Amino acid sequence: MRKINVFDTTLRDGEQSAGVNLNFQEKLEIAKQLERLGVDIIEAGFPASSQGDFASVQAIARTVKGSSITGLARSLERDIETTWEALKDSAEPRIHVFIATSPIHMQYKLKMTPEQVIENAVAAVKLAKKTFPQVQWSAEDASRSDLPFLAKIIQAVIDAGATVINLPDTVGYTTPYEIGQMFGYVSENVSNIDRAILSTHNHDDLGMAVANSLAAIQNGAGQVECTVNGIGERAGNASLEEIAVALNIRQDHYKADTGLVLKEIKRTSSLVSKLTGMVVPNNKAVVGANAFAHESGIHQDGVLKNKETYEIITPELVGVSSNRMVLGKHSGRHAFKEKLMELGFNGTEEQLQKTFVAFKDLADKKKDITEDDLFALMTEATVGSSVAHYELETLQVNYGTTNIPTATITMKLPTGETVQEAATGSGSVEAIYNTLERVIDEEVLLTNYRIQSTTAGRDSLAEVYVTVKYDGTESSGRGTAHDVLEASAKAYINAVNRTINRKQFNEQRTNPLNV
Ligand code: KIV
Ligand code: ZN
């Protein structure tokens, strides 16, 4: 069985998904969960791209020791040095340096000749190799590059010290047959290829990212780059869970495995979905809500007689539980803590206490507390509180079919002062948002609003996701509460708080090399 290294880029390429902006604490939580899942390499960000990215890559490198942490860098001295500063404390520092190699990218984007691109790539790898023991080099848009040129540049960067060669299908254009040919060509025509691991990185524009990744693995790739739930630039990247489970279930065919802790897949998917606000479609392979549902009578009958008639993956394999009722109103702190530990809680004593208070509050309103409820409360307590500038104290909404909806809100301001405001709207949510805008005293444009329930049942927790434009930037926000209106208010305030946080953070850190 060949071991395939999993290179997760949820926090870098995945975070490039439109509308996704994870904060420091959320990135750290995702990185810890990826470590629990057993990924070999975590691409934690692009340190030279912003001070926020620098700080989160550095924090992940200092905290997560079970996976190798890497950061993306252009072939620029400044990028490579900044990436080293961010990663030097990690257990196994690794850099991911790239340059485009396709004719269209070299001519129009880089405005460089192929020879200049080779020179640049070699210089970048040599510089990176002075500090990093592991240097990954990527040929951006490799799948649209000239194969003899690709072979020539790969030969040169391996000689310069690259230990991993990544050949991305940057625009999601290639087919499984073609990607197989590209990996075959490189393996046969680069004489020093045995000194490096080949890696595949695929985008899903034509819906072939996973198929292309598997074809590359069959043709020599020893590393696969992917994201949780397949999130990423445009149509996304190859989905980690689909690749890992395909290799596991079809070991007979691929004779390769990732070694991931597959039972952590569902939890990882839920965490990423919750924190990014990107919904997992019901019919998504492996992690969708319907992935294990047998609807037709014939299928149900078959499954009752023998599960394997229609079920090739067991829910248990990927950690899908039946969302059991786990705790109730009378459960004590001890049972609560134990359950939370089982769910992977690794927060502080203060966060534990906060989750317990939220649990008791929910248990007063909801009869059975399920694993999904606990997961939602736990996520809120560990990452939701990290950005409190404005805080909701009380909310009252007056609604009737024949009167004008009115909201009255008491809020704590960033100055510590408490204010009360009221406003009307054509509906309850609009009345709340008009009131909040008065408190914030600046225009906040709502560009997206989505609501979903945590579990089935009329007493479920509500989760609201919003995107707002505030203070010149677009920011997403999330709110969870037993009541949909309270969740709506919290999501809006969370989005505003995130904008303020980001701004303050950038103001504080003017030079990433001095952090
Ligand atoms: O898609 C791509 O080419 C990338 C590179 C930076 C590796 O994400
Ligand atoms: Zn990419």
Side-chain angles (χ1 to χ4, degrees), residues 9 12-13 16 168-170 201-203 233 237:
T9 182
R12 200 276 298 169
D13 226 347
Q16 285 173 222
D169 181 28
T170 303
H201 173 118
N202 299 296
H203 283 267
E233 188 83 44
N237 288 55

Side-chain angles (χ1 to χ4, degrees), residues 12-13 72 96 98 138 140 166 168 170 201 203:
R12 200 276 298 169
D13 226 347
L72 185 69
H96 178 192
F98 76 101
S138 279
E140 190 190 9
N166 182 39
T170 303
H201 173 118
H203 283 267

